[in-house]
Amino acid sequence: MTDIVERYDIPEQFFWLRGSRSGPPVEFDSATGIWNVYGYPEAQQVLGDPATFSSDTMRVVPKGMIPEGEFSLEGFITQIDPPEHGKLRKLVTSAFTRKVVADLEPRIAAITHELLDAARERGGLELVTDLAYPLPVIVIAELLGVPSSDRGLFKQWADALFQRDAKVSLNEPSEEQDRDIQATLKPWKEMSAYLAGHAAERRRQPRADLLTRLVEAEVDGERLPDQQVVNFAIVLLLAGHITTTMLLGNTVLCLDAFPEQQEKVRADRALVPAAIEESLRLFTPFAALGRSTMREAQLGGVSIPADQMVMVWLGVANRDPRQFADPGAFTPGRDPNPHLAFGRGIHFCLGAPLARLEGRVALNILLDRFDPLRTDPEDPVKFIPTPTMAGVRRLTLA
Ligand code: HEM
């Protein structure tokens, strides 16, 4: 997609943004020991077959790479397979309903206006710091029931977990990778302790918030154990903001790169949801998902042995010319647009309705308040360095 690559300084690691890929749909990378899945039908096959492609990736991480007993992934919903996954998903879905999300619309609009007003008073808008970061984090904190004034802490943890450029490798751990893992454990432990404190308080004193609904949620007479409540709250706190931050930044970037599409969307606001979907396809925030093979698998013409790590590159599959015509173009009216940005199958993103709502509300308000919506050529856009997360980390509006 030449427009975005030519206009902005896209880092090397976002290789899929640099034109369409011509290699095979599945490739083994001997440097990392990981099987990379790039094709759309192949990605669909992996995500649709949890019996062969397990979400438990820790089982294939060589022993000793992650210090044992340092952190627990118990109840970490994205890492669990059926049948346990179905039970946990049912439990948390009963607490995180569509109605809970839909009722947030006026609050999301109010927070967006407040944040934009504050930025105007300061004299300019850096989209990520002033809106795209704080909006989803305030929303998810309010929803969970943790003080949104603690968002400096959440940012510190999220930055420590995601703002790194190290490539994952299963081969001999390098000193750099070791340092990286250690640096990840600290914020993880702090976050767990923080949320455990809040969950314990809700058990003693229930409130009208999601954390209380999680500690009280019951399926077949069973409640979630404490560690699972904490780990689910971690997923919500992390997944609930960093990805949506990227969605907002990336959508503004797409509208900046394709001004004629911005005009169309501006003229017909019914296209706003389609613009969000197309941004998710073209500039997929969660660019890659991990899986591990439970048995030998045939995929895209190759045979993958059992107990291998597989990376499904959603960001590349979403640009597979076998599935999407003119895949490098930003086309908000694209119909159908079966992108994989929220995953597929049993782990399909639980927060998709919230992310879509935040995206729609914020984008409509940005279009109302900024005409045109343009990046500042004097202050180049900067990107998150993490290879598997694609998003802007600094975007100043002109
Ligand atoms: C799962 C992407 C926003 C909560 C996922 C998965 C993807 C994804 C790709 C599938 C993971 C897998 O199959 O291994 C995104 C993107 C978002 C977003 C691109 C924003 C643009 C949110 C929000 C929340 C959330 C706002 C919550 C408030 C979750 C949860 C799961 C999940 C709980 C796990 C579901 C399961 O394992 O059953 N998300 N997400 N996400 N997401 Fe999101």
Side-chain angles (χ1 to χ4, degrees):
M1 147 149 176
T2 50
D3 298 64
I4 283 196
V5 172
E6 275 166 16
R7 249 170 189 270
Y8 316 103
D9 188 13
I10 302 274
E12 276 297 318
Q13 64 265 29
F14 300 146
F15 57 91
W16 70 94
L17 291 172
R18 300 172 166 268
S20 59
R21 229 190 128 264
S22 51
V26 181
E27 261 178 346
F28 180 66
D29 180 357
S30 54
T32 59
I34 293 172
W35 293 81
N36 290 305
V37 178
Y38 299 119
Y40 184 94
E42 292 77 14
Q44 261 188 318
Q45 184 185 329
V46 173
L47 300 180
D49 181 4
T52 307
F53 298 97
S54 163
S55 285
D56 181 0
T57 47
M58 300 303 264
R59 51 181 284 282
V60 293
V61 172
K63 279 225 167 325
M65 193 170 265
I66 300 201
E68 269 177 51
E70 287 280 10
F71 75 123
S72 157
L73 283 177
E74 190 198 340
F76 211 79
I77 190 165
T78 55
Q79 294 276 319
I80 300 178
D81 293 326
E84 288 77 18
H85 173 266
K87 201 167 160 191
L88 180 60
R89 176 122 182 166
K90 209 165 148 193
L91 259 173
V92 296
T93 312
S94 71
F96 195 64
T97 60
R98 278 183 186 261
K99 164 128 179 50
V100 167
V101 172
D103 287 349
L104 292 171
E105 181 159 356
R107 181 69 190 130
I108 294 171
I111 300 168
T112 305
H113 280 297
E114 272 167 36
L115 291 167
L116 292 178
D117 290 346
R120 189 171 50 198
E121 271 169 35
R122 285 193 298 272
L125 187 82
E126 195 283 283
L127 188 84
V128 180
T129 314
D130 295 332
L131 177 71
Y133 181 77
L135 171 65
V137 86
I138 293 172
V139 171
I140 194 68
E142 288 186 358
L143 198 60
L144 270 172
V146 294
S148 61
S149 54
D150 284 345
R151 65 178 185 269
L153 269 180
F154 311 153
K155 179 159 172 33
Q156 213 175 300
W157 295 328
D159 284 354
L161 291 169
F162 297 125
Q163 303 278 340
R164 46 194 67 251
D165 56 6
K167 216 175 163 187
V168 179
S169 172
L170 298 182
N171 294 340
E172 273 303 287
S174 61
E175 252 180 51
E176 189 198 355
Q177 190 166 324
D178 208 38
R179 257 201 319 272
D180 238 52
I181 291 171
Q182 290 300 337
T184 308
L185 288 176
K186 189 172 171 285
W188 190 272
K189 284 183 190 167
E190 287 174 6
M191 214 164 29
S192 295
Y194 175 91
L195 289 165
H198 279 283
E201 203 183 301
R202 293 313 180 283
R203 285 205 199 276
R204 286 193 302 272
Q205 228 170 1
R207 291 195 207 160
D209 59 26
L210 185 56
L211 213 44
T212 304
R213 279 201 295 277
L214 284 174
V215 298
E216 290 182 345
E218 267 186 34
V219 168
D220 303 334
E222 272 184 59
R223 287 193 173 182
L224 284 178
D226 284 0
Q227 186 63 53
Q228 294 202 8
V229 170
V230 168
N231 279 345
F232 186 67
I234 290 182
V235 177
L236 287 181
L237 200 56
L238 292 178
H241 77 278
I242 192 81
T243 45
T244 311
T245 300
M246 291 190 278
L247 168 64
L248 294 176
N250 296 353
T251 306
V252 170
L253 192 79
C254 290
L255 292 171
D256 181 56
F258 294 87
E260 70 295 346
Q261 295 297 344
Q262 179 174 153
E263 280 321 304
K264 275 195 196 158
V265 175
R266 191 179 285 286
D268 178 6
R269 295 300 183 88
L271 282 173
V272 164
I276 302 283
E277 296 308 304
E278 182 64 344
S279 150
L280 283 163
R281 182 192 70 80
L282 190 64
F283 218 127
T284 308
F286 231 125
L289 297 177
R291 295 290 190 264
S292 68
T293 48
M294 298 299 286
R295 52 190 177 221
E296 191 184 333
Q298 304 302 319
L299 186 70
V302 300
S303 176
I304 307 180
D307 303 323
Q308 297 289 298
M309 174 82 93
V310 172
M311 280 297 246
V312 183
W313 287 89
L314 305 178
V316 188
N318 280 339
R319 288 158 171 262
D320 188 335
R322 292 175 294 171
Q323 179 65 36
F324 298 101
D326 198 4
F330 177 68
T331 315
R334 194 183 283 277
D335 185 22
N337 188 355
H339 66 74
L340 300 174
F342 288 121
R344 188 54 73 85
I346 60 165
H347 288 278
F348 182 82
C349 178
L350 209 60
L354 176 58
R356 286 175 163 139
L357 179 66
E358 288 178 328
R360 173 169 63 75
V361 171
L363 185 56
N364 263 313
I365 294 174
L366 281 169
L367 288 167
D368 288 342
R369 295 180 59 147
F370 295 86
D371 186 5
L373 198 49
R374 285 269 168 278
T375 57
D376 181 354
E378 304 294 312
D379 189 359
V381 176
K382 293 206 172 49
F383 295 84
I384 293 170
T386 315
T388 52
M389 312 276 278
V392 298
R393 72 166 169 199
R394 183 175 173 83
L395 188 160
T396 303
L397 290 187

